[in-house]
Amino acid sequence: MAYFDNTKNILDEFETDIERATYLQNILIDYSTGKNVLDVDYIKIRNWVTSKPEFKIYVPQFVKTCRSLNQFWQFIKFKYDTYHERRVYIYSEFEALLSYIEERNLTPADKSISDILTVFSEDNVHAVWQKALNRRNDDPDGAITMARTLLETVCKNILDAQGIEYKVNVELSELYKITAEYLNLSAGQHTEVTFKQILGGCSGVINGLGSLRNKLGDAHGYGKSKLKPAPRHAELAVNLSGAMALFLVSTWLQNKK
């Protein structure tokens, strides 16, 4: 486990609350099992987690009472003798906090999308989706960027699986066009008016998310006039991206059958 330069703010080293809380858990596990740990890291991240009102009932009691690693050591060394017992205990004590952070912003739709994307590509596509979900409230511009990245990742994974080539720096709109044509989801491939309208709307969503990322995301530098997105803007972008990702992956999986 790596530890960071104590001249930096440890909180800035992570993108999401789940990463910060997991790091706090790992600091305590490492320290209680004889590894070298920086007290300043523990103090900073402990202060962060205990200052969050919504985390109050989930934070382990020993984190609330132990303001330093030395105080934690006086607690854990008498409670359990073996490294294994200490690991099991700390993992169990952090379970409620980590579960709450992971699930606090999830909706039934989030769960449905997560299930399908996990089946499709857990290490790649689903990982991007999880980042988009985690950033919706705390990092709206980052969430908007990840919403666009999700669709790009889904399209590329589908095309790669079928051996269909595309340009390295292809725009999202063109990437989606290639993917939609392969999946028979292009409006031009259908004559039924309703289908053409719906599929044309899907294309419009893709183009809109690409433009939204350019205006409100964090993928580019910006000046004084930069618009700052609100969580509701991020939620819209992530939900639209998730719905489109679900549609594309479900279609691909159905075609495979």
Side-chain angles (χ1 to χ4, degrees):
M1 180 175 176
Y3 295 97
F4 299 95
D5 183 348
N6 61 13
T7 62
K8 298 180 180 179
N9 188 340
I10 187 64
L11 300 177
D12 295 337
E13 301 292 338
F14 303 100
E15 296 177 342
T16 64
D17 286 351
I18 191 66
E19 290 175 346
R20 297 183 186 104
T22 301
Y23 184 73
L24 175 60
Q25 170 191 261
N26 292 341
I27 283 178
L28 294 172
I29 289 174
D30 282 358
Y31 190 72
S32 67
T33 55
K35 295 183 176 65
N36 184 37
V37 180
L38 294 177
D39 195 44
V40 66
D41 282 358
Y42 171 73
I43 292 171
K44 287 180 179 179
I45 211 156
R46 173 200 172 270
N47 290 344
W48 164 78
V49 77
T50 56
S51 69
K52 292 273 192 177
E54 65 269 33
F55 295 167
K56 185 176 181 180
I57 64 173
Y58 303 103
V59 174
Q61 185 62 28
F62 58 80
V63 173
K64 296 177 182 177
T65 57
C66 297
R67 293 184 171 85
S68 68
L69 287 174
N70 183 59
Q71 290 180 358
F72 171 68
W73 175 245
Q74 299 307 313
F75 162 76
I76 198 69
K77 72 176 181 179
F78 294 112
K79 190 169 184 67
Y80 294 106
D81 293 329
T82 70
Y83 286 177
H84 174 70
E85 288 176 315
R86 293 171 187 173
R87 289 191 193 96
V88 171
Y89 172 70
I90 294 172
Y91 279 132
S92 65
E93 289 295 297
F94 270 85
E95 177 61 30
L97 175 63
L98 296 178
S99 295
Y100 169 73
I101 295 174
E102 285 183 331
E103 299 172 5
R104 62 179 171 169
N105 298 321
L106 293 182
T107 66
D110 296 339
K111 181 65 166 57
S112 297
I113 295 169
S114 293
D115 290 344
I116 292 296
L117 297 187
T118 298
V119 171
F120 179 60
S121 174
E122 182 173 7
D123 294 333
N124 195 358
V125 174
H126 182 262
V128 176
W129 168 243
Q130 196 61 53
K131 287 182 180 180
L133 291 178
N134 290 340
R135 297 180 187 182
R136 280 187 297 191
N137 288 328
D138 299 330
D139 182 17
D141 43 0
I144 289 171
T145 296
M146 293 312 300
R148 193 262 189 202
T149 300
L150 173 66
L151 290 171
E152 181 179 357
T153 305
V154 166
C155 288
K156 287 184 175 180
N157 273 261
I158 289 174
L159 296 177
D160 288 345
Q162 301 308 129
I164 300 174
E165 296 184 355
Y166 50 86
K167 295 179 181 178
V168 175
N169 297 320
V170 62
E171 291 291 329
L172 177 61
S173 57
E174 180 62 24
L175 191 64
Y176 174 75
K177 181 180 178 182
I178 298 170
T179 308
E181 288 178 352
Y182 162 69
L183 294 174
N184 197 34
L185 296 178
S186 173
Q189 294 172 306
H190 298 267
T191 57
E192 163 58 42
V193 175
T194 301
F195 286 163
K196 290 178 72 71
Q197 288 177 336
I198 291 174
L199 295 175
C202 290
S203 181
V205 167
I206 298 295
N207 293 334
L209 285 171
S211 298
L212 189 65
R213 192 286 304 263
N214 291 335
K215 291 181 180 296
L216 299 181
D218 65 357
H220 302 292
Y222 41 82
K224 294 181 180 179
S225 60
K226 158 75 175 180
L227 296 174
K228 186 70 174 176
R232 70 179 187 278
H233 301 131
E235 185 171 18
L236 174 62
V238 172
N239 289 349
L240 287 172
S241 177
M244 285 303 305
L246 176 63
F247 183 46
L248 291 172
V249 170
S250 296
T251 302
W252 183 77
L253 292 173
Q254 183 61 41
N255 288 351
K256 283 187 65 179
K257 295 180 181 180

